[in-house]
Amino acid sequence: MGDTSRSQTISTKLRKIADQAADYPDMRFSTLAHHIDADLLFEAYRLTRKNRAAGVDKVTTGAYEVSLEENLKDLHERLRTGRYQAQPVRRVHIDKEDGKKRPIGIPSLEDKIVQRAVVMLLTPIYEGMFQDFSFGFRPGRSQHQALSIISESCWRLKAGWIVDADVSGFFDNMDHGVLRDFIRRRVNDGGILRLIGKWLNAGVMEEARYSETKDGVPQGGVVSPLLSNIFLHYVLDEWFVRDVLPRMKGRCFMVRFADDFVIGCEREEDARRIMEVLPKRFNRYGLSVHPEKTKLVDFTRPARNTRKGKGNGTFDFLGFTHYWARSRRGNWVIKRKTVRKRRNRFVKAIWDWCRSNRHLPVPVQHKKLCQKLRGYYQYHGIRFNYETLGLVNFLARRAWRHWLNRRSRKGPMNWATYVKFLAIYPLPKPRIFHSI
C-alpha cells in the first residue's frame, strides 16, 4: 500500500471514530486496540519526529529505517500477542526561567511510535469533549490563539481581575489511579489501558540509575500532552463550566494551555472566591496550587484621564508579560512583551553558543545563529514587542563580535569593521509575525 492511500485509509478510519464519538457523547469505547495494525504503526512512524535524541535503547531513526517494514511488522506482532514491553524513559534536565531544572523524558523510538498510534486513536474521541478555552497540544490550536482570546475576553467581558495560577509539579505529581478513572469514563478498552499503564509504570533511567514511577507522566513523552489534557479536562475545565460559572455574579473566562491557565473575572469578589476554592479543587486530586506563584492581579482598564494603570497591573502567560499601555492614538490597549527572564535566558544561550563554537567556520556559525534568531522571532514576534526583538538582535550581534574577536589573530574588530562584516554575513532583522 502506498503512503498516500495508507494515509487516506487511516484518515477515513479516524473520521469514523470521531463521528461515532460526536453522535454518542455518553458512549464508552471498548474496541479500539485492534485498530493498531501495521499500517497505523507506519503512519505513526511517519509522523514521529526524526531528529530527536535516542532513548535508553540508543536506537536511532536511521538505524531503524534500515529494515523499517520488518521492524514495524515485528512491533505489531509483539503488540498483538502481548509481548510488547515499554522501555524506561531516559531523563535529562533543561534550565527553567527561575534557574531551576526541568526534567524531560525521552522515550525509546518504538515507544514513541506506539504512543503516537494511541494518540491518533484517542484524539478524535476527546477533541469533541475538550472545552474551547483549552489550547495546549491540540490540532489546529496554538499559543498565539490563546493569547488572542485573553485580549478579546478582557475587552468584551470587561474582565479586569485575573487569577494567575500555577500548579506545582503537575506532570510529576499526576495520580495514576485518578488518571485511569478519568480515561475509563470515555475509553474502556483493555488493550489501550494496558499500554498506557505500561508507559506510566515503565520507570525512569537517569545517569545509569533506574527509578520507579508511582506518580506523574514524563514531560517530553508523545502521549503525555493528551493524558494531561484528559486529566485537567475533568479536574479544571469541566468543573469551571459546570460549577464555577453558574455561581459567578459577573462575567468570567478561562484560557488554558497544558497546565498553564489564567481566569479572568469582571468582579473582584468572584475572583477572590475562585482564589479560595481553587486550591481545594486541586488538593482533591492530589495536586497543589503554588501559594506564592498564584496571585490575584488587578488588571482593570485604566481611566481615560489617568497616566498609569492601577493595582498590580501585569501578569505573565505563555512567555509574555501582559500590561496596559497607551497606543499611538492615546487609547488604553493591552500590550505584551517577552518576559524578562525568558529574554535573558535566550540571550545567555546565544552568548554560550558563540563561546563554545567560536572556532567553527564563519559560514557555519552564521547559518546556526540565523536559525536561532528566526526561531525566536517566529514565536515572540507579536505586536508591541518589536523593541524587545530589537534588543535581542543587538545583544546577539554583540555576542558574536565578542567571541569572533577572541579567536582572531589580527586583533579585535572595531564596530565599523564589524558592520562591514555583517554586510557579508547579515543576521536576520526583527520581524512581527503575529498581529494579536
Side-chain angles (χ1 to χ4, degrees):
M1 183 183 295
D3 291 353
T4 303
S5 58
R6 179 187 290 110
S7 299
Q8 291 176 347
T9 301
I10 292 172
S11 178
T12 301
K13 184 187 303 183
L14 298 179
R15 193 178 304 114
K16 289 181 179 179
I17 295 175
D19 292 340
Q20 192 175 14
D23 293 338
Y24 304 96
D26 297 326
M27 185 185 77
R28 290 198 296 178
F29 288 78
S30 58
T31 55
L32 287 173
H34 72 281
H35 290 299
I36 305 179
D37 53 17
D39 287 340
L40 184 64
L41 290 174
F42 189 94
E43 185 68 8
Y45 174 80
R46 188 182 69 82
L47 296 174
T48 300
R49 293 184 178 181
K50 309 299 189 297
N51 59 346
R52 297 304 187 190
V56 294
D57 58 359
K58 299 182 180 179
V59 175
T60 63
T61 54
Y64 201 80
E65 282 182 346
V66 173
S67 303
L68 181 59
E69 290 193 19
E70 291 79 1
N71 288 331
L72 291 178
K73 288 180 180 178
D74 177 66
L75 176 59
H76 173 243
E77 183 65 18
R78 281 182 279 135
L79 287 166
R80 190 183 66 82
T81 58
R83 293 183 292 113
Y84 164 79
Q85 295 294 327
Q87 298 288 325
V89 173
R90 182 167 72 89
R91 175 174 287 175
V92 297
H93 295 268
I94 62 173
D95 295 329
K96 294 176 62 175
E97 295 176 7
D98 56 5
K100 298 180 180 179
K101 298 286 185 179
R102 183 191 303 276
I104 297 294
I106 304 175
S108 66
L109 179 59
E110 285 196 337
D111 288 342
K112 291 178 184 177
I113 297 171
V114 183
Q115 288 182 23
R116 176 63 62 190
V118 169
V119 169
M120 292 170 67
L121 290 176
L122 295 185
T123 296
I125 298 173
Y126 284 101
E127 269 301 299
M129 290 177 51
F130 291 155
Q131 299 292 337
D132 287 339
F133 54 73
S134 169
F135 290 88
F137 308 107
R138 294 180 58 189
R141 290 171 174 254
S142 68
Q143 294 100 319
H144 294 96
Q145 290 175 337
L147 293 168
S148 180
I149 292 296
I150 289 178
S151 290
E152 178 186 342
S153 300
C154 285
W155 274 99
R156 182 170 50 86
L157 305 180
K158 297 181 179 179
W161 294 92
I162 303 295
V163 178
D164 184 8
D166 183 272
V167 183
S168 299
F170 169 70
F171 286 93
D172 296 331
N173 298 306
M174 197 187 306
D175 187 280
H176 289 176
V178 174
L179 175 61
R180 291 191 188 95
D181 291 341
F182 285 156
I183 295 173
R184 288 193 186 98
R185 294 186 184 184
R186 199 70 167 114
V187 176
N188 199 27
D189 184 297
I192 298 295
L193 292 173
R194 280 191 294 273
L195 285 175
I196 294 174
K198 288 181 179 182
W199 297 324
L200 293 178
N201 298 310
V204 170
M205 190 71 71
E206 184 175 357
E207 296 180 355
R209 294 193 306 271
Y210 174 81
S211 58
E212 295 182 355
T213 49
K214 297 181 180 180
D215 295 302
V217 296
Q219 295 188 62
V222 176
V223 75
S224 298
L226 177 60
L227 296 181
S228 66
N229 273 335
I230 294 172
F231 197 95
L232 286 173
H233 169 76
Y234 290 106
V235 172
L236 180 63
D237 300 354
E238 190 180 70
W239 168 74
F240 180 78
V241 173
R242 184 190 64 235
D243 297 334
V244 175
L245 286 180
R247 291 174 169 82
M248 297 292 99
K249 296 181 179 180
R251 295 175 293 181
C252 298
F253 76 90
M254 183 169 77
V255 173
R256 181 175 68 82
F257 193 95
D259 61 327
D260 294 330
F261 65 96
V262 294
I263 299 175
C265 299
E266 184 181 12
R267 301 178 65 153
E268 181 181 0
E269 58 186 300
D270 288 340
R272 294 196 179 278
R273 288 181 66 189
I274 292 175
M275 284 283 291
E276 182 180 352
V277 299
L278 200 59
K280 300 176 183 177
R281 178 65 181 179
F282 279 97
N283 290 341
R284 181 178 175 183
Y285 296 96
L287 298 172
S288 61
V289 176
H290 198 293
E292 296 178 359
K293 295 183 179 179
T294 301
K295 58 183 179 179
L296 179 60
V297 179
D298 181 354
F299 200 66
T300 50
R301 179 182 176 181
R304 289 186 178 181
N305 57 350
T306 58
R307 300 185 62 183
K308 294 183 179 180
K310 62 180 180 179
N312 296 328
T314 69
F315 65 94
D316 297 339
F317 187 65
L318 296 180
F320 293 97
T321 298
H322 297 64
Y323 63 100
W324 285 99
R326 295 280 191 180
S327 68
R328 290 184 177 179
R329 296 182 178 181
N331 300 319
W332 285 108
V333 295
I334 297 175
K335 294 186 177 182
R336 300 178 186 83
K337 60 183 177 181
T338 304
V339 173
R340 182 177 298 180
K341 289 182 179 179
R342 180 169 290 197
R343 181 200 68 195
N344 293 343
R345 184 179 65 181
F346 178 78
V347 171
K348 183 178 184 302
I350 290 287
W351 181 274
D352 293 341
W353 188 91
C354 290
R355 178 182 58 188
S356 302
N357 297 276
R358 62 185 182 274
H359 296 299
L360 290 177
V362 170
V364 175
Q365 293 187 47
H366 175 251
K367 180 179 179 181
K368 190 65 177 180
L369 285 172
C370 288
Q371 291 174 351
K372 290 178 179 293
L373 285 171
R374 289 194 189 101
Y376 186 87
Y377 298 156
Q378 285 173 2
Y379 182 76
H380 294 274
I382 65 174
R383 286 183 66 192
F384 307 121
N385 199 36
Y386 191 87
E387 183 177 346
T388 298
L389 301 184
L391 177 60
V392 167
N393 178 274
F394 169 76
L395 294 175
R397 285 184 287 137
R398 190 172 69 174
W400 197 22
R401 171 176 173 258
H402 175 86
W403 290 109
L404 285 175
N405 281 337
R406 292 295 296 268
R407 80 170 193 170
S408 176
R409 296 179 180 178
K410 300 179 181 179
M413 269 191 295
N414 58 35
W415 193 258
T417 305
Y418 185 54
V419 169
K420 296 179 181 178
F421 172 86
L422 289 177
I424 303 174
Y425 297 102
L427 295 178
K429 295 180 179 180
R431 179 183 170 187
I432 299 300
F433 284 86
H434 310 279
S435 180
I436 298 177

